[in-house]
Amino acid sequence: EAQVTQNPRYLITVTGKKLTVTCSQNMNHEYMSWYRQDPGLGLRQIYYSMNVEVTDKGDVPEGYKVSRKEKRNFPLILESPSPNQTSLYFCATLDPGRMNTEAFFGQGTRLTVV
Amino acid sequence: KQEVTQIPAALSVPEGENLVLNCSFTDSAIYNLQWFRQDPGKGLTSLLLIQSSQREQTSGRLNASLDKSSGRSTLYIAASQPGDSATYLCAVRGGSQGNLIFGKGTKLSVKP
């Protein structure tokens, strides 16, 4: 079964305390991406990766880092979280070589920064 | 830059009604368009994907159409049920990279 697994599902943290949200996919896809979802703003892309060791900024990359050391994993790193990063985060993957492929999303991570 | 708009932002209908959700996009050069369902605070469930060369896709009570030249897609829900209450999102994939551009969604409420 195709799966995208994010951890943790819920996280409350304090301003400035580094955190990592993990994302893992079992479909051997080259492409992975992170989005954040905020009321009234919809889903916006943070970073994406076309392959191992290849990452690129999306529309809202400030305050985030990512790494892609293995094909299946794409962690999102907040080195110094701030309250404006309180949001619902989604990891996604798809097969970029196929036009008829759907995107698969993780269950989401609800992050609150106080 | 691609922009995706969904109208209306919210919709309330009585159970049993057929309804149409709209999605428009500004750049017709798309790979595909995908419709998602999202329950409050939950993840995205893929409903239908339409390739750029297709006109429509059907799954059960759902039918999605695509008119690429006019930059429009519709999601038709037949015989709506209270369990259909959710937010419906459309997203277009514009290029070979795989990045999706989302609309802000239509929040549907189906009243018993």
Side-chain angles (χ1 to χ4, degrees):
Chain A
E1 180 191 352
Q3 276 193 329
V4 181
T5 304
Q6 291 179 227
N7 280 296
R9 295 288 312 280
Y10 303 91
L11 180 60
I12 301 175
T13 191
V14 296
T15 298
K17 185 177 181 180
K18 181 179 178 179
L19 66 91
T20 299
V21 183
T22 64
C23 175
S24 180
Q25 51 102 356
N26 66 356
M27 290 162 270
N28 202 38
H29 287 166
E30 293 175 343
Y31 175 92
M32 297 184 74
S33 181
W34 278 102
Y35 295 83
R36 62 177 287 174
Q37 185 178 34
D38 302 287
L41 298 176
L43 280 116
R44 296 175 293 167
Q45 190 180 50
I46 304 170
Y47 268 95
Y48 65 98
S49 170
M50 294 297 294
N51 212 329
V52 174
E53 303 291 0
V54 180
T55 63
D56 249 313
K57 296 178 180 179
D59 296 319
V60 288
E62 296 77 21
Y64 303 95
K65 283 177 58 176
V66 291
S67 70
R68 188 88 182 277
K69 300 190 186 311
E70 309 165 278
K71 186 180 276 191
R72 63 182 291 122
N73 295 323
F74 190 43
L76 179 69
I77 303 156
L78 286 72
E79 296 217 321
S80 184
S82 62
N84 65 11
Q85 293 178 298
T86 293
S87 187
L88 181 58
Y89 291 87
F90 289 102
C91 178
T93 185
L94 56 76
D95 181 349
R98 295 172 53 198
M99 289 178 60
N100 64 345
T101 182
E102 63 182 89
F104 295 89
F105 282 76
Q107 324 92 297
T109 295
R110 171 76 66 183
L111 173 65
T112 302
V113 184
V114 298
Chain B
K1 183 180 175 182
Q2 178 76 269
E3 292 184 3
V4 180
T5 304
Q6 290 186 248
I7 294 174
L11 181 64
S12 182
V13 301
E15 181 177 4
E17 194 161 293
N18 302 325
L19 59 100
V20 174
L21 307 180
N22 297 294
C23 173
S24 62
F25 46 95
T26 55
D27 185 348
S28 62
I30 65 170
Y31 264 43
N32 59 46
L33 184 145
Q34 197 167 349
W35 282 93
F36 295 88
R37 169 189 171 131
Q38 184 178 28
D39 293 291
K42 303 294 185 182
L44 279 67
T45 300
S46 179
L47 298 174
L48 288 164
L49 179 139
I50 312 178
Q51 297 178 58
S52 62
S53 58
Q54 296 177 322
R55 298 284 292 182
E56 64 178 71
Q57 281 283 350
T58 298
S59 176
R61 294 183 294 109
L62 306 179
N63 176 277
S65 69
L66 175 65
D67 184 343
K68 202 175 75 161
S69 61
S70 68
R72 293 184 179 183
S73 176
T74 62
L75 180 66
Y76 174 83
I77 303 177
S80 59
Q81 304 170 358
D84 295 330
S85 298
T87 295
Y88 291 80
L89 298 162
C90 71
V92 299
R93 179 181 167 189
S96 59
Q97 293 170 327
N99 299 341
L100 301 182
I101 307 297
F102 282 85
K104 294 181 180 178
T106 294
K107 185 175 182 179
L108 173 65
S109 177
V110 181
K111 305 294 187 185

